């Protein structure tokens, strides 16, 4: 059947939504969400969607393709799981809002213009920050650009501007604050937190860590390119503290590293994290700031930008400097190096006295060695 439900979806609401799955006359497979849990409405959506596909293929009308088709093709390009899920959520929101704004079941590409986009994003701005709005706008722009440049589904991409965001925040914590935070975390969350602090890995990697990624003998952790943000294969050397934590987890589960009551789990719990921070007296600190803290601790310990770039798997030194921060104590030894150059210079704190008329002028013919 062309209509089906994703019964294994992570959220119950998503499992109730009907999806369309069929192959068109050109042999192209289409899998798109109908956005409804009502089977009759889903059937109507399918009929209109198939009609739009037919018009676009037979009549060759540019812009006649349905927007869900552009979403489908865009998501096919995004193979990395965490990015794919986020884009899917954002673009489905756009599709639903476009339908409501245009009062239609299927949104055609040519109907998406600047006025419509600004009208819809204004709805999101009522309940979200400018940064969140920009993430949604960025997803839409990327989808429309691919539809225009690669699939020729649009005559041109509507021009719209992103919202102005505040300057990037700088947040990391001291070793004393790290200890306070770890003390307040429940036992099953302490270990993932320590791994994040000792490797600098992102939350999505740390929380879904598997034993197949870890070589306890070589003391390394391997992350495949599809799980990395910059899509590059990454091997992380594990320090002693990380090894100590990982060895304590051996034998609890055959595949996954982190368990709770004998079962694997997603290690990040927002409420637990928030309460632990409050008890530790730490404010304005996110899980991703553990990566900033890791980079900052290494920088303040003397690690070079080049080494940090490799350890953090960043593509540029500019990204290293975004994450790693010095303090006065860490730069003081470097500032003191000037003493070695000027140590032989005699500096008198007593103001010199000159004869009336000021200091004697130097004879221009006398060379000073």
């Amino acid at each position: 059947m062309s209509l089906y439900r994703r019964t294994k979806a992570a959220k119950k609401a998503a499992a109730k939504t009907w999806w369309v799955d069929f192959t068109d006359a050109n042999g192209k497979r289409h899998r798109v969400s109908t956005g409804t849990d009502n089977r009759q409405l889903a059937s109507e959506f399918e009929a209109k969607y198939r009609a739009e596909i037919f018009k676009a293929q037979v009549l060759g009308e540019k812009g006649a393709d349905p927007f869900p088709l552009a979403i489908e093709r865009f998501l096919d390009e995004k193979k990395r799981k965490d990015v794919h899920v986020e884009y899917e959520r954002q673009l489905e929101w756009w599709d639903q809002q476009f339908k409501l704004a245009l009062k239609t079941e299927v949104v055609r590409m040519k109907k998406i213009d600047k006025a419509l986009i600004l009208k819809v994003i204004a709805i999101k701005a009522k309940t979200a920050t400018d940064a969140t709005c920009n993430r949604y706008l960025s997803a839409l722009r990327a989808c429309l650009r691919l539809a225009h440049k690669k699939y020729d589904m649009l005559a041109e991409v509507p021009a719209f501007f992103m919202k102005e965001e505040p300057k990037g925040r700088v947040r990391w914590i001291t070793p004393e604050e790290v200890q306070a935070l770890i003390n307040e975390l429940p036992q099953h969350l302490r270990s993932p937190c320590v791994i994040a602090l000792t490797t600098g890995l992102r939350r999505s990697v740390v929380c879904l860590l598997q034993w197949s990624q870890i070589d306890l003998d070589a003391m390394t952790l391997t992350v495949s390119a599809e799980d990395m943000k910059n899509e590059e294969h990454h091997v992380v050397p594990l320090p002693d503290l990380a090894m100590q934590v990982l060895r304590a987890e051996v034998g609890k589960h055959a595949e996954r590293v982190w368990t709770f009551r004998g079962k694997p789990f997603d290690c990040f719990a927002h409420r637990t994290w928030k309460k632990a921070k409050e008890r530790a007296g730490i404010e304005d600190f996110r899980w991703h700031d553990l990566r900033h803290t890791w980079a900052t601790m290494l920088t303040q310990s003397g690690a070079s930008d080049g080494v940090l770039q490799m350890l953090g798997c960043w593509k540029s030194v500019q990204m290293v400097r975004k994450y790693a921060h010095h303090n006065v104590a860490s730069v003081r030894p470097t500032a003191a190096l000037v003493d070695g150059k000027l140590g032989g210079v005699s500096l008198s704190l007593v103001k010199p006295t000159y004869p009336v008329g000021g200091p004697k002028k130097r004879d221009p013919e006398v060379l000073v060695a």
Side-chain angles (χ1 to χ4, degrees):
M1 294 179 65
S2 57
L3 283 176
Y4 72 100
R5 281 172 167 166
R6 290 181 171 180
T7 56
K8 295 184 179 180
K11 296 182 179 180
K12 292 183 180 180
K16 294 180 180 180
T17 302
W18 289 99
W19 284 68
V20 176
D21 186 355
F22 70 93
T23 303
D24 63 26
N26 293 338
K28 168 67 178 176
R29 185 180 181 183
H30 298 265
R31 286 172 294 176
V32 296
S33 170
T34 66
T36 180
D37 58 1
N38 185 301
R39 185 179 177 86
Q40 182 177 349
L41 293 178
S43 297
E44 294 176 4
F45 173 90
E46 180 188 5
K48 292 179 180 179
Y49 184 85
R50 286 175 179 266
E52 297 295 342
I53 293 293
F54 178 79
K55 289 178 183 178
Q57 291 179 344
V58 175
L59 303 179
E61 182 183 353
K62 188 174 290 189
D65 291 296
F67 180 52
L69 176 59
I71 296 176
E72 176 193 355
R73 288 176 172 174
F74 177 75
L75 293 176
D76 284 343
E77 301 272 338
K78 303 299 175 182
K79 302 299 182 185
R80 219 175 88 243
K81 190 180 230 180
D82 56 332
V83 172
H84 185 283
V85 171
E86 190 69 11
Y87 275 136
E88 183 178 23
R89 181 177 62 83
Q90 293 167 344
L91 292 173
E92 283 188 3
W93 179 87
W94 279 109
D95 187 39
Q96 292 301 317
Q97 294 300 322
F98 285 157
K99 289 178 184 177
L100 293 173
L102 296 172
K103 297 180 180 179
T104 182
E105 289 295 325
V106 179
V107 179
R108 286 197 184 193
M109 295 293 290
K110 63 182 180 181
K111 295 292 184 179
I112 303 175
D113 56 18
K114 181 179 179 179
L116 178 62
I117 293 170
L118 295 180
K119 177 182 178 180
V120 170
I121 199 61
I123 298 172
K124 173 61 70 175
K126 293 178 181 179
T127 58
T129 64
D130 288 345
T132 299
C133 290
N134 282 346
R135 301 297 85 77
Y136 277 76
L137 287 168
S138 178
L140 177 63
R141 175 180 286 171
C143 181
L144 295 181
R145 281 178 174 173
L146 183 74
H148 167 61
K149 293 182 178 180
K150 187 172 182 178
Y151 297 105
D152 204 28
M153 297 170 68
L154 274 175
E156 61 179 1
V157 177
F160 56 89
F161 295 97
M162 310 294 273
K163 292 181 176 290
E164 185 175 350
E165 296 183 37
K167 293 183 179 180
R169 60 194 288 277
V170 175
R171 186 69 175 102
W172 51 274
I173 55 178
T174 64
E176 292 76 19
E177 290 175 311
V178 167
Q179 185 64 67
L181 177 61
I182 290 176
N183 289 344
E184 296 300 336
L185 284 171
Q187 188 62 44
H188 65 284
L189 291 183
R190 291 181 184 179
S191 296
C193 182
V194 171
I195 292 300
L197 281 165
T198 54
T199 63
L201 291 172
R202 291 180 173 83
R203 186 181 73 188
S204 60
V205 176
V206 173
C207 290
L208 300 177
L209 205 57
Q210 299 187 17
W211 288 114
S212 59
Q213 298 175 261
I214 298 169
D215 188 331
L216 294 175
D217 295 327
M219 298 177 63
T220 58
L221 189 160
T222 303
V223 187
S224 62
E226 64 181 9
D227 292 326
M228 290 296 294
K229 185 176 180 179
N230 65 358
E231 299 181 348
E232 290 185 359
H233 184 77
H234 188 39
V235 179
V236 183
L238 296 170
D240 291 339
L241 186 56
M243 290 298 299
Q244 179 182 337
V245 166
L246 291 171
R247 287 193 177 105
E249 301 295 326
V250 173
K252 294 183 179 181
H253 194 271
E255 297 179 1
R256 295 280 292 276
V257 175
W258 313 124
T259 59
F260 179 62
R261 296 176 179 173
K263 296 181 180 180
F265 75 107
D266 181 345
C267 67
F268 190 77
H270 289 275
R271 284 188 63 187
T272 305
W273 173 257
K274 183 178 180 180
K275 289 182 177 180
K277 289 191 301 176
E278 290 174 354
R279 291 193 298 268
I282 298 174
E283 299 178 352
D284 186 30
F285 190 76
R286 307 165 187 167
W287 181 278
H288 189 70
D289 293 330
L290 294 173
R291 182 168 166 86
H292 286 258
T293 300
W294 164 80
T296 296
M297 288 190 297
L298 290 181
T299 290
Q300 294 181 1
S301 298
S304 67
D305 286 350
V307 171
L308 265 178
Q309 183 177 348
M310 182 184 71
L311 289 174
C313 204
W314 285 298
K315 288 189 174 181
S316 68
V317 174
Q318 286 72 23
M319 285 301 299
V320 175
R321 292 169 184 167
K322 178 181 176 181
Y323 280 80
H325 313 286
H326 280 285
N327 60 10
V328 174
S330 65
V331 299
R332 189 179 296 281
T334 302
L337 292 176
V338 72
D339 292 338
K341 294 294 183 181
L342 299 179
V345 177
S346 177
L347 302 176
S348 174
L349 297 181
V350 180
K351 187 177 181 179
T353 57
Y354 298 107
V356 178
K360 185 178 180 181
K361 294 182 179 180
R362 188 184 301 276
D363 188 342
E365 296 183 0
V366 177
L367 297 178
V368 181

